[in-house]
Amino acid sequence: MTEVSSRNPPPRRYLALYFPWLPSERLRIARPHAFVGREGAPYAVIEKAKGAQRLHAVDPVAAGLGIEPGATLADSRARVPELAAFDHAPHDDHVWLERLADGCARYTPWVMLDAPDGLVLDVTGCVHLFASETALAADAVARFDRLGVVVSHAFADNPDAARALARYRTSGASEDEAVRRLPVAALGLDGEATLALKRAGLKTVGDVVVRPLSAIAARFGGDAATRVRRIIGEADSPLSPRIVKPPLYVERRFAEPMARTDYALEVLGELMAEAFVRLEESHEGGRRFVARFFRTDGLVQRLAVETGRPSRDVTLALRLFRERIDALADPIDPGFGFDLIRLDIPVAERLDASQLKLEGGAVAEAELTALIDRLSTRLGRGRVRRFAPRDRHLPEQAEFTLPAVEPASPETWPQSEPGEPPLRPIHLFDPPQPIDHVLSEVPDGPPLKFRWRRTLHDVARAEGPERIAAPWWTPREAPTRDYYRVEDRRGRRLWIFRRGLFEEGQPAPSWYVHGVFA
């Protein structure tokens, strides 16, 4: 008999980071020119609310003078005349929070945004890299301190407890006791529900937890009971990781910060070689490469390149990264140095060994792909495009453009029979150009003469018609198109069509030139 052993998974651990001065600190760091000569002066971030300009956030100096968020700007300046005001930019604050989250990817790939001013890290299985939770938190706090960002942190077994402890800073003999000592405001309910709990004599989370949740839900709403279950770990948190763990990544940490970009690229090449060995074992090649340069102050420089085909060519990928760096408006700033470089390969596809074609062409195709990669990297992913077929009957809708580095469309271009002329012209007018003075032997036959661009064309040969009906979702009375391939006596070959049919009581059909054959 085989002995079956069961092993319980380790308990999950979460690290919450709370940035109490995020809007004001973001302004000071991102716009240092606005604070020249104002060192130590109070300032606030304002927004329009309830018909007045109110303070959304303040800096520590203003807070020390008794200025609080929510007050009107007029009242605040009456108390502190030198108070400077800046407009609230929630989008910029969110982007700044995303950048801080990028920096936390050095600790765990599972970083969750707790907008607008916090992060939650799932550090389960990652703590041993820093010896202890205390060492991990100390490392994070030190990095944010070098950047000039104040952060408060807390560990817990679930995200809600961690974020509440980081914000309200209670303590106890155990984590459960600390959570129970939290004020009811830590539940994150709206002001009215929080006030109702306080008026009922429930001052702390512990006061609420000991009550039957059915009674809490009946009196204070179902959301209150759900928040209680989440903070004590009986219900899942709605937070989700912002970064999906890439299928393959390699990284290198440095004991001493590295301040040279050239050397950082050399290390990136070594990481590529290491990653490509692993890709070769799985018969895959990378299509998208993301390099992250982690600065010692917590910020991250991120670069991404793509290739048109799966690749394990270190020289090619490294050259694309150099092209990307050369195209940057601002060069990579190592600051006080990089202490971690990571290479992610989020997109990899099958890549087997290939044999050169006897008829040739493979080398030219590879050179074309390399050119597309370089142009897309330097000019931008969406600026180098190519045509792809689409399953539509109307000619002007039968193709579309997509970035040239995108995978090929599964649709195929229509092919004419061997020895036959092409079915579609190489140049298509959109919209079709009208023609007039059309003369035919019979009303619904091909034209013998017509005038286009103020020139009279005598038709020498004509072939057709090829009837294309309107899409089924358009009204039934939508006119059809009868296409003809014609050649005039000067040898010019055109693709023309008659829109509509000769029917009694209906307007006369109109003629158009839709394309020119080569």
PDB file of all heavy atoms in Angstrom, residues 27 53 107 120 154 156 183 186 188 210 235 325 328 342 442 447:
ATOM      1  N   LEU A  27       3.491  65.645  -6.255  1.00  0.00           N
ATOM      2  CA  LEU A  27       3.724  66.977  -6.808  1.00  0.00           C
ATOM      3  C   LEU A  27       5.155  67.433  -6.568  1.00  0.00           C
ATOM      4  O   LEU A  27       5.826  67.940  -7.471  1.00  0.00           O
ATOM      5  CB  LEU A  27       2.754  67.966  -6.161  1.00  0.00           C
ATOM      6  CG  LEU A  27       1.396  68.156  -6.828  1.00  0.00           C
ATOM      7  CD1 LEU A  27       0.520  69.040  -5.970  1.00  0.00           C
ATOM      8  CD2 LEU A  27       1.575  68.776  -8.211  1.00  0.00           C
ATOM      9  N   GLN A  53     -13.897  75.695  -3.741  1.00  0.00           N
ATOM     10  CA  GLN A  53     -12.588  75.058  -3.871  1.00  0.00           C
ATOM     11  C   GLN A  53     -12.187  74.515  -2.502  1.00  0.00           C
ATOM     12  O   GLN A  53     -12.002  75.277  -1.545  1.00  0.00           O
ATOM     13  CB  GLN A  53     -11.558  76.063  -4.364  1.00  0.00           C
ATOM     14  CG  GLN A  53     -11.737  76.441  -5.839  1.00  0.00           C
ATOM     15  CD  GLN A  53     -10.624  77.339  -6.328  1.00  0.00           C
ATOM     16  OE1 GLN A  53     -10.177  78.222  -5.606  1.00  0.00           O
ATOM     17  NE2 GLN A  53     -10.183  77.119  -7.548  1.00  0.00           N
ATOM     18  N   TYR A 107       9.757  42.529  -4.876  1.00  0.00           N
ATOM     19  CA  TYR A 107       9.472  41.679  -3.720  1.00  0.00           C
ATOM     20  C   TYR A 107       8.569  40.502  -4.072  1.00  0.00           C
ATOM     21  O   TYR A 107       8.709  39.419  -3.513  1.00  0.00           O
ATOM     22  CB  TYR A 107       8.821  42.510  -2.613  1.00  0.00           C
ATOM     23  CG  TYR A 107       9.641  43.703  -2.211  1.00  0.00           C
ATOM     24  CD1 TYR A 107       9.209  44.992  -2.459  1.00  0.00           C
ATOM     25  CD2 TYR A 107      10.881  43.527  -1.598  1.00  0.00           C
ATOM     26  CE1 TYR A 107       9.972  46.083  -2.107  1.00  0.00           C
ATOM     27  CE2 TYR A 107      11.653  44.619  -1.238  1.00  0.00           C
ATOM     28  CZ  TYR A 107      11.193  45.892  -1.500  1.00  0.00           C
ATOM     29  OH  TYR A 107      11.972  46.968  -1.155  1.00  0.00           O
ATOM     30  N   VAL A 120      -1.113  46.584  -1.885  1.00  0.00           N
ATOM     31  CA  VAL A 120      -1.143  45.351  -1.109  1.00  0.00           C
ATOM     32  C   VAL A 120      -0.308  44.318  -1.854  1.00  0.00           C
ATOM     33  O   VAL A 120      -0.541  44.064  -3.042  1.00  0.00           O
ATOM     34  CB  VAL A 120      -2.579  44.837  -0.911  1.00  0.00           C
ATOM     35  CG1 VAL A 120      -2.562  43.524  -0.141  1.00  0.00           C
ATOM     36  CG2 VAL A 120      -3.424  45.861  -0.165  1.00  0.00           C
ATOM     37  N   ALA A 154       2.030  47.205   7.146  1.00  0.00           N
ATOM     38  CA  ALA A 154       1.562  46.200   8.106  1.00  0.00           C
ATOM     39  C   ALA A 154       1.424  44.866   7.392  1.00  0.00           C
ATOM     40  O   ALA A 154       1.090  44.819   6.203  1.00  0.00           O
ATOM     41  CB  ALA A 154       0.233  46.611   8.733  1.00  0.00           C
ATOM     42  N   ALA A 156      -0.443  40.966   7.452  1.00  0.00           N
ATOM     43  CA  ALA A 156      -1.620  40.276   7.978  1.00  0.00           C
ATOM     44  C   ALA A 156      -1.891  39.054   7.122  1.00  0.00           C
ATOM     45  O   ALA A 156      -1.280  38.858   6.052  1.00  0.00           O
ATOM     46  CB  ALA A 156      -2.835  41.198   8.009  1.00  0.00           C
ATOM     47  N   PRO A 183     -10.506  50.797  14.933  1.00  0.00           N
ATOM     48  CA  PRO A 183     -11.788  51.523  14.994  1.00  0.00           C
ATOM     49  C   PRO A 183     -12.712  51.041  13.876  1.00  0.00           C
ATOM     50  O   PRO A 183     -12.261  50.492  12.863  1.00  0.00           O
ATOM     51  CB  PRO A 183     -11.376  52.984  14.798  1.00  0.00           C
ATOM     52  CG  PRO A 183     -10.087  52.901  14.061  1.00  0.00           C
ATOM     53  CD  PRO A 183      -9.388  51.674  14.547  1.00  0.00           C
ATOM     54  N   ALA A 186     -12.114  51.530  10.173  1.00  0.00           N
ATOM     55  CA  ALA A 186     -11.229  50.651   9.406  1.00  0.00           C
ATOM     56  C   ALA A 186     -11.999  49.681   8.531  1.00  0.00           C
ATOM     57  O   ALA A 186     -11.419  49.069   7.638  1.00  0.00           O
ATOM     58  CB  ALA A 186     -10.320  49.867  10.362  1.00  0.00           C
ATOM     59  N   GLY A 188     -14.038  50.504   6.340  1.00  0.00           N
ATOM     60  CA  GLY A 188     -14.146  51.109   5.018  1.00  0.00           C
ATOM     61  C   GLY A 188     -15.561  51.392   4.584  1.00  0.00           C
ATOM     62  O   GLY A 188     -15.820  51.547   3.388  1.00  0.00           O
ATOM     63  N   VAL A 210     -18.143  40.466  17.719  1.00  0.00           N
ATOM     64  CA  VAL A 210     -18.801  39.611  18.717  1.00  0.00           C
ATOM     65  C   VAL A 210     -20.315  39.592  18.538  1.00  0.00           C
ATOM     66  O   VAL A 210     -21.006  38.770  19.140  1.00  0.00           O
ATOM     67  CB  VAL A 210     -18.446  40.071  20.140  1.00  0.00           C
ATOM     68  CG1 VAL A 210     -16.949  39.925  20.385  1.00  0.00           C
ATOM     69  CG2 VAL A 210     -18.877  41.531  20.367  1.00  0.00           C
ATOM     70  N   ALA A 235     -14.014  35.951   4.335  1.00  0.00           N
ATOM     71  CA  ALA A 235     -14.454  36.207   2.952  1.00  0.00           C
ATOM     72  C   ALA A 235     -13.279  36.762   2.168  1.00  0.00           C
ATOM     73  O   ALA A 235     -12.379  37.388   2.731  1.00  0.00           O
ATOM     74  CB  ALA A 235     -15.629  37.196   2.931  1.00  0.00           C
ATOM     75  N   ILE A 325      16.064  52.509 -26.745  1.00  0.00           N
ATOM     76  CA  ILE A 325      16.686  53.519 -25.870  1.00  0.00           C
ATOM     77  C   ILE A 325      17.035  54.764 -26.676  1.00  0.00           C
ATOM     78  O   ILE A 325      16.832  55.899 -26.227  1.00  0.00           O
ATOM     79  CB  ILE A 325      17.930  52.924 -25.189  1.00  0.00           C
ATOM     80  CG1 ILE A 325      17.505  51.828 -24.200  1.00  0.00           C
ATOM     81  CG2 ILE A 325      18.722  53.998 -24.478  1.00  0.00           C
ATOM     82  CD1 ILE A 325      18.662  51.083 -23.586  1.00  0.00           C
ATOM     83  N   LEU A 328      14.115  57.116 -27.154  1.00  0.00           N
ATOM     84  CA  LEU A 328      13.474  57.717 -25.986  1.00  0.00           C
ATOM     85  C   LEU A 328      13.688  59.226 -25.978  1.00  0.00           C
ATOM     86  O   LEU A 328      14.777  59.714 -26.317  1.00  0.00           O
ATOM     87  CB  LEU A 328      14.043  57.123 -24.695  1.00  0.00           C
ATOM     88  CG  LEU A 328      13.723  55.650 -24.412  1.00  0.00           C
ATOM     89  CD1 LEU A 328      14.445  55.199 -23.153  1.00  0.00           C
ATOM     90  CD2 LEU A 328      12.220  55.450 -24.257  1.00  0.00           C
ATOM     91  N   ARG A 342      15.565  42.913 -14.406  1.00  0.00           N
ATOM     92  CA  ARG A 342      14.706  41.753 -14.664  1.00  0.00           C
ATOM     93  C   ARG A 342      14.297  41.753 -16.129  1.00  0.00           C
ATOM     94  O   ARG A 342      13.987  42.803 -16.702  1.00  0.00           O
ATOM     95  CB  ARG A 342      13.460  41.799 -13.783  1.00  0.00           C
ATOM     96  CG  ARG A 342      12.443  40.699 -14.088  1.00  0.00           C
ATOM     97  CD  ARG A 342      11.288  40.748 -13.144  1.00  0.00           C
ATOM     98  NE  ARG A 342      11.702  40.484 -11.778  1.00  0.00           N
ATOM     99  CZ  ARG A 342      10.893  40.578 -10.723  1.00  0.00           C
ATOM    100  NH1 ARG A 342       9.640  40.930 -10.893  1.00  0.00           N
ATOM    101  NH2 ARG A 342      11.332  40.310  -9.524  1.00  0.00           N
ATOM    102  N   VAL A 442     -26.848  47.113 -74.468  1.00  0.00           N
ATOM    103  CA  VAL A 442     -28.108  46.830 -73.782  1.00  0.00           C
ATOM    104  C   VAL A 442     -28.028  47.492 -72.419  1.00  0.00           C
ATOM    105  O   VAL A 442     -26.937  47.682 -71.872  1.00  0.00           O
ATOM    106  CB  VAL A 442     -28.352  45.310 -73.644  1.00  0.00           C
ATOM    107  CG1 VAL A 442     -28.577  44.687 -74.996  1.00  0.00           C
ATOM    108  CG2 VAL A 442     -27.177  44.646 -72.934  1.00  0.00           C
ATOM    109  N   PRO A 447     -20.371  48.494 -70.314  1.00  0.00           N
ATOM    110  CA  PRO A 447     -20.325  49.749 -71.080  1.00  0.00           C
ATOM    111  C   PRO A 447     -19.422  49.637 -72.302  1.00  0.00           C
ATOM    112  O   PRO A 447     -18.434  48.882 -72.304  1.00  0.00           O
ATOM    113  CB  PRO A 447     -19.771  50.729 -70.052  1.00  0.00           C
ATOM    114  CG  PRO A 447     -18.952  49.902 -69.140  1.00  0.00           C
ATOM    115  CD  PRO A 447     -19.638  48.565 -69.061  1.00  0.00           C
TER     116      PRO A 447
END
